[in-house]
Amino acid sequence: MGGFTSYRLQRLSDNNCWSLFRNCAFVDGNSSGYPRLEEIGKEIVKKLKGLPLAAKAVGSLLYSKVDEEEWKDILRSEIWELTPDKNSILPALRLSYKHLPPHLKQCFAFCAVFHKDYVFERDNLVQIWMALGFVQPQGSKRLEDIGNTYFDDLLSRSFFQPYKGNYVMHDAIHDLAQYITIDDCHRLEDDKRLNNRNKIRHLSFSCDNSMLTSFEAFYSFKRLRTLLLLRGYKSSITSVPDDLFMKLRYLRVLDLYRRGIKEVPHSIGNLKQLRYLGLSSTEIKTLPSSVSKLYNLQMLKLKNCSSLRELPQGITNLLNLHHLEANTRLIANLAGIGRLTCLQELEEFAVQKDRGYKIAELKDMMQLRGRLCITGLEKVASGEEANEAELNTKEHLSLLEFAWEDSRNIGLHEQCLDERVLEGLRPHRGLKEMKIIGYAGADFPSWLASPLSSLKTIQLSNCIRCLGLPPLGQLPFLKKLEIRGADEVIQISREFSGNGATKGFPSLNELVLDDMPKLEEWLFADGDQLFPRLTELDVIDCPKLKALPRLPSTLTRLRISEAGLGVLPKLWDSKQPSSLSSLHIDNYPNLTSLQQGLLSHPLSALKDLKINNCEGLLSLPLECFRHFTSLESLHICKCPMLVPSTALKDGLLPGSLEDVRVGFCYQLINPLLDELRNLAFLTHLEIANCPDLYYFPLEGLPDTLKFLSILDCANLQHLPPQLWKLSSLVTLIISNCPRIPHLPSEGLPRGLHELYIKACPSLKETCELGREDWAKVAHIAKVEIDEDIMSE
């Protein structure tokens, strides 16, 4: 029974061990109401020897149990008297295993077939348990759901531990599994002596990438139920012998995870008991037609099989198939996929006009769940044909995507047909997410609003003929709404906000309006309080839109780009503190002043402000930016008419700023440079496209700067004279400043790590080896001039 790996477990103090045990054993870790159980628990903890894994395992075993006798049974167990000498199995782990119900014992013990440090994918392991018959039916419950409760039970008892979105098993737990399944599970690479190979039911083989996989080694395990090729998928390999599946007739689980496998023998059709077939990441080009005879198959895994060109049409004979994992294109080419009525995932169904590919194939696929994208809807001939899919009966689907071809010709016939088809695709009422892409109808279907009251996300994209928007504001749980490419919408009416008992988008967090070139107005009363929970708003490419509704104080991010608004939107209540932390204004030609709307309020939470390409902008907020006391990043570019308020003598910028970038703002640059020295936290400064900049102020730059970029300042004649004092400066970029004759006479900061000079001919010349500025750059780790690396 030897051969287990030794391991060292870190020990806790008695107090810490008790705390860990208590958190696992009592609901919310609170034992104050059970003084007697506390006494017994502390006695149990003494037997745990300060081992955290043991404390978690035994504590979880007793979780929420309040019967004193159950606790005493654990304390008095004879297992504590066993020593972990020969097999290194901790008594606490044996005890935890002993109290598992039989179905969990079976599922846990099977995990011994995997090597130590194996990373378990929950769904995959549950599917293997199902294939082996370990998961027992419970009425109408889905086997996958039952298997997941098994996994959760083992997880809560610390038999598994979370790891990067998946799970691992502690070495000590793995040793326990191996100890109790010594005659049932075997890993071939362990090279143990086996007295009776006919007893082994579950076999795996892991190897290094350099080792050869020899299938002949498996032949003597004639009663195998499981054969797994695990670690070392790039290893050398011989072809799969044709007689392998003649000898291993009882296999239920077969996973051949080897990159080198290029062909599967026809004899695989002999595996009549096979439930799970894994061929992912192999190089097979075809599947033998005999696969279609594996009538008990539940799981077929063909992920990352880049050489596989098609699936045998006979796969639709596998009526017990629950999971088919393969390239979407391969599945879309299967005629008659509607026969697979047990199939649970179908990411995309591509409608075609040929028999076997029509949308009616979806009719009996009642087990579909998760996401379903239906493409090619322009090929559906009528609303009645669309209705044949009976999507309203697919109660397990959470996301539906309807997609029409973008490049088709659209006339009145296509417009009316799209409306009838979409009306016929009514989904079930519990749907959580919907996407409608390329729809050419003028109106949206009657079912899109209140009947789908569970919707949380809606995306309407390229609905280029729709004339109005449905009353989505009455959906009580809608959190995210994206409307993109609504070319013909001229007006957002008040109906959009809802006309039922629920209205105004009560739960909406994110709203995107994008590419609505004809949108001119959004009708709302000045007192309307829409979007009470809105946190993110994007209004993009709506060049004719004149005004937005008032916004709630909950808004944290606002982006307005290519809009026709003359002023920024207002807040509902100017007395309510605003949560706005990020404001981006871009390509806003009608905006002339920032003294109205949002920026007229003291936005104390604002951290990030970007104003770009607003060529008509004349004035900043009345108080400039100084009342934005949390502002860290300020970017202003291509606002050539912008000047600070004439009423201010100083105080243009708040002292919280860390990142300032200014470009193409000719009248703003000098007042701004004068302000840079209140800025105690400034680390990043970029000045670009300022032809009116000739000199820097003598004391213009704070010594906190780490990054300084001076770009396209055609008339700048000198770099900042105090540049050498910037002790924190790491990176300096000077580009297209041709009138700078040389570096400052005092040199550059000693801590400068990177210097980039481009399109500055005089500087380039003076910095060459042996010239006057060479000594000033010699200490810098990386110097790059006109993309030539001088030193690195």
Side-chain angles (χ1 to χ4, degrees):
M1 304 289 187
F4 295 124
T5 304
S6 62
Y7 45 84
R8 182 173 297 174
L9 295 175
Q10 188 143 7
R11 298 182 186 272
L12 301 174
S13 68
D14 287 346
N15 286 340
N16 288 339
C17 192
W18 162 246
S19 295
L20 180 58
F21 175 88
R22 181 181 59 201
N23 285 335
C24 294
F26 293 93
V27 176
D28 296 327
N30 184 5
S31 62
S32 59
Y34 305 96
R36 182 62 185 140
L37 296 185
E38 273 196 347
E39 291 180 24
I40 302 171
K42 289 180 179 179
E43 291 299 314
I44 293 173
V45 165
K46 290 178 182 177
K47 297 177 177 291
L48 299 178
K49 312 295 185 186
L51 298 174
L53 181 61
K56 290 176 67 176
V58 180
S60 300
L61 172 62
L62 291 168
Y63 177 72
S64 76
K65 295 180 179 178
V66 295
D67 185 343
E68 254 186 65
E69 290 305 312
E70 287 189 76
W71 285 61
K72 287 180 179 177
D73 286 345
I74 297 297
L75 178 62
R76 294 191 294 249
S77 174
E78 71 282 357
I79 289 181
W80 297 115
E81 307 306 319
L82 300 176
T83 57
D85 47 19
K86 186 174 183 181
N87 297 309
S88 299
I89 304 299
L90 297 170
L93 303 186
R94 297 189 200 184
L95 185 65
S96 188
Y97 171 78
K98 179 184 176 183
H99 284 79
L100 286 177
H103 64 277
L104 293 186
K105 284 183 175 178
Q106 188 177 35
C107 290
F108 164 68
F110 169 76
C111 295
V113 78
F114 298 95
H115 54 77
K116 286 185 178 179
D117 73 28
Y118 183 81
V119 178
F120 293 91
E121 297 178 22
R122 173 200 283 258
D123 291 343
N124 197 53
L125 182 59
V126 167
Q127 290 170 12
I128 291 176
W129 288 344
M130 287 171 50
L132 293 171
F134 294 169
V135 180
Q136 301 304 311
Q138 297 176 13
S140 60
K141 285 188 69 174
R142 194 172 70 118
L143 285 178
E144 286 86 349
D145 293 335
I146 299 169
N148 269 292
T149 64
Y150 290 8
F151 190 93
D152 285 335
D153 285 343
L154 290 171
L155 179 64
S156 69
R157 298 167 192 251
S158 299
F159 287 94
F160 293 106
Q161 298 175 3
Y163 175 77
K164 295 183 179 178
N166 288 304
Y167 301 88
V168 292
M169 186 173 279
H170 192 284
D171 283 0
I173 297 286
H174 188 277
D175 283 352
L176 172 64
Q178 191 170 357
Y179 173 68
I180 60 182
T181 60
I182 194 68
D183 293 326
D184 199 39
C185 295
H186 182 62
R187 298 192 308 281
L188 199 62
E189 72 274 11
D190 283 352
D191 198 28
K192 294 181 196 167
R193 218 177 244 190
L194 293 172
N195 296 325
N196 191 346
R197 297 192 170 206
N198 281 333
K199 288 185 178 181
I200 299 297
R201 295 293 181 268
H202 311 293
L203 182 69
S204 71
F205 179 55
S206 307
C207 69
D208 295 328
N209 289 343
S210 60
M211 293 179 62
L212 182 71
T213 303
S214 175
F215 286 100
E216 284 74 11
F218 307 139
Y219 282 18
S220 57
F221 296 91
K222 296 182 179 179
R223 309 296 294 180
L224 279 185
R225 301 291 188 273
T226 304
L227 176 58
L228 306 174
L229 299 189
L230 301 175
R231 185 169 55 193
Y233 71 95
K234 291 183 179 178
S235 62
S236 303
I237 186 169
T238 59
S239 59
V240 181
D242 192 61
D243 61 347
L244 177 67
F245 303 130
M246 303 285 194
K247 298 181 180 296
L248 305 180
R249 291 175 175 268
Y250 302 103
L251 281 177
R252 282 177 168 239
V253 174
L254 174 63
D255 199 344
L256 303 177
Y257 189 48
R258 285 296 185 276
R259 181 69 70 189
I261 294 179
K262 297 183 178 179
E263 187 176 0
V264 177
H266 189 78
S267 61
I268 197 170
N270 293 329
L271 303 180
K272 303 301 183 185
Q273 300 301 317
L274 198 64
R275 266 79 167 164
Y276 179 109
L277 175 58
L279 296 168
S280 294
S281 298
T282 59
E283 293 182 355
I284 58 172
K285 296 181 179 178
T286 60
L287 274 177
S289 59
S290 60
V291 166
S292 61
K293 297 180 180 179
L294 303 176
Y295 300 117
N296 288 305
L297 199 66
Q298 296 174 349
M299 275 69 69
L300 178 56
K301 311 273 188 170
L302 298 165
K303 291 190 297 186
N304 302 319
C305 294
S306 57
S307 300
L308 189 59
R309 296 291 175 256
E310 62 180 358
L311 299 177
Q313 286 297 327
I315 278 183
T316 56
N317 295 328
L318 305 180
L319 303 186
N320 289 304
L321 202 61
H322 288 214
H323 303 280
L324 173 58
E325 297 180 4
N327 183 285
T328 300
R329 173 186 54 80
L330 297 177
I331 298 175
N333 287 332
L334 282 175
I337 198 170
R339 300 185 65 203
L340 302 181
T341 57
C342 292
L343 201 65
Q344 296 184 17
E345 294 97 15
L346 183 62
E347 286 197 2
E348 181 179 331
F349 180 80
V351 178
Q352 301 181 38
K353 293 183 178 180
D354 297 334
R355 183 178 179 182
Y357 297 98
K358 294 187 176 182
I359 199 167
E361 291 292 323
L362 297 172
K363 178 179 180 179
D364 296 322
M365 302 183 75
M366 305 297 293
Q367 298 305 313
L368 289 179
R369 61 196 57 241
R371 175 183 185 272
L372 172 61
C373 173
I374 306 176
T375 62
L377 283 171
E378 69 281 357
K379 297 172 185 173
V380 179
S382 66
E384 292 73 23
E385 183 178 319
N387 196 48
E388 290 180 19
E390 296 188 4
L391 292 182
N392 61 323
T393 65
K394 311 296 188 289
E395 296 183 355
H396 303 299
L397 286 173
S398 59
L399 186 158
L400 264 174
E401 181 175 329
F402 300 131
W404 284 259
E405 174 61 47
D406 275 345
S407 60
R408 61 193 170 123
N409 295 321
I410 300 173
L412 183 60
H413 171 75
E414 287 77 16
Q415 181 174 315
C416 294
L417 178 59
D418 279 14
E419 291 176 2
R420 294 194 293 269
V421 168
L422 189 55
E423 187 70 46
L425 294 175
R426 176 191 297 266
H428 70 96
R429 296 173 66 94
L431 193 70
K432 297 294 190 294
E433 187 171 351
M434 170 170 289
K435 299 181 180 181
I436 300 176
I437 301 172
Y439 173 64
D443 299 306
F444 285 96
S446 59
W447 48 255
L448 185 54
S450 53
L452 297 183
S453 57
S454 297
L455 276 173
K456 293 184 177 181
T457 301
I458 297 178
Q459 178 181 322
L460 307 177
S461 294
N462 297 329
C463 299
I464 57 175
R465 295 296 177 90
C466 71
L467 299 177
L469 300 177
L472 301 178
Q474 63 195 33
L475 295 174
F477 304 111
L478 186 65
K479 293 182 179 297
K480 183 175 182 178
L481 173 60
E482 294 185 12
I483 302 173
R484 302 177 187 272
D487 290 6
E488 298 297 322
V489 173
I490 297 174
Q491 180 188 84
I492 297 178
S493 69
R494 296 190 71 178
E495 182 186 28
F496 179 58
S497 302
N499 46 28
T502 301
K503 55 187 175 182
F505 299 91
S507 300
L508 197 69
N509 299 138
E510 300 179 42
L511 174 61
V512 176
L513 300 178
D514 185 8
D515 191 14
M516 301 177 70
K518 294 185 179 180
L519 180 62
E520 295 181 3
E521 58 181 346
W522 186 339
L523 297 181
F524 54 88
D526 205 41
D528 285 351
Q529 294 195 348
L530 307 178
F531 317 116
R533 297 187 178 179
L534 194 68
T535 58
E536 299 186 23
L537 173 61
D538 286 1
V539 180
I540 304 167
D541 198 8
C542 301
K544 295 185 178 182
L545 181 61
K546 300 296 187 297
L548 288 173
R550 288 178 177 264
L551 300 175
S553 59
T554 56
L555 195 69
T556 61
R557 187 182 68 80
L558 173 62
R559 179 187 174 196
I560 302 178
S561 177
E562 298 183 73
L565 281 66
V567 294
L568 292 176
K570 298 179 181 179
L571 294 175
W572 281 1
D573 184 356
S574 59
K575 298 178 181 178
Q576 185 76 18
S578 170
S579 301
L580 192 68
S581 63
S582 177
L583 174 59
H584 291 190
I585 304 168
D586 180 60
N587 203 359
Y588 210 150
N590 295 336
L591 185 67
T592 60
S593 173
L594 298 178
Q595 296 186 15
Q596 302 176 53
L598 275 176
L599 291 179
S600 66
H601 300 289
L603 303 177
S604 58
L606 190 64
K607 293 184 176 181
D608 174 26
L609 176 58
K610 291 182 173 66
I611 305 172
N612 181 56
N613 204 20
C614 299
E615 296 188 357
L617 186 60
L618 300 174
S619 62
L620 294 172
L622 187 62
E623 295 293 319
C624 287
F625 302 116
R626 65 181 180 184
H627 61 331
F628 303 151
T629 54
S630 298
L631 194 64
E632 297 175 356
S633 177
L634 175 62
H635 296 185
I636 306 177
C637 185
K638 296 185 180 178
C639 301
M641 308 295 291
L642 183 60
V643 294
S645 172
T646 56
L648 289 176
K649 294 182 179 178
D650 54 25
L652 176 65
L653 303 175
S656 56
L657 273 172
E658 299 176 6
D659 183 345
V660 175
R661 307 185 194 190
V662 181
F664 281 108
C665 297
Y666 311 131
Q667 302 185 62
L668 185 63
I669 186 63
N670 286 310
L672 183 141
L673 286 176
D674 286 334
E675 290 283 322
L676 291 180
R677 62 186 180 273
N678 301 333
L679 302 185
F681 303 102
L682 190 67
T683 60
H684 191 128
L685 175 63
E686 178 175 298
I687 297 171
N689 299 100
C690 295
D692 289 342
L693 180 64
Y694 293 88
Y695 303 97
F696 276 87
L698 289 177
E699 297 292 340
L701 301 178
D703 61 7
T704 53
L705 273 184
K706 294 183 178 179
F707 183 101
L708 174 60
S709 181
I710 305 171
L711 313 175
D712 302 304
C713 296
N715 292 311
L716 182 63
Q717 298 181 16
H718 295 287
L719 289 171
Q722 306 297 320
L723 198 59
W724 65 277
K725 289 185 177 181
L726 302 183
S727 57
S728 300
L729 196 66
V730 174
T731 302
L732 174 60
I733 300 175
I734 310 165
S735 178
N736 199 21
C737 300
R739 300 194 65 182
I740 298 178
H742 49 70
L743 295 177
S745 58
E746 296 291 340
L748 299 178
R750 298 305 301 173
L752 192 65
H753 185 73
E754 296 177 317
L755 173 62
Y756 300 90
I757 299 174
K758 186 175 182 180
C760 301
S762 296
L763 275 183
K764 177 180 180 180
E765 185 176 336
T766 62
C767 288
E768 290 178 351
L769 181 63
R771 299 299 298 269
E772 60 189 278
D773 283 334
W774 169 249
K776 300 173 186 176
V777 303
H779 67 283
I780 301 173
K782 182 174 184 179
V783 178
E784 187 176 299
I785 301 179
D786 287 341
E787 300 182 357
D788 291 330
I789 297 176
M790 311 292 288
S791 64
E792 186 171 19

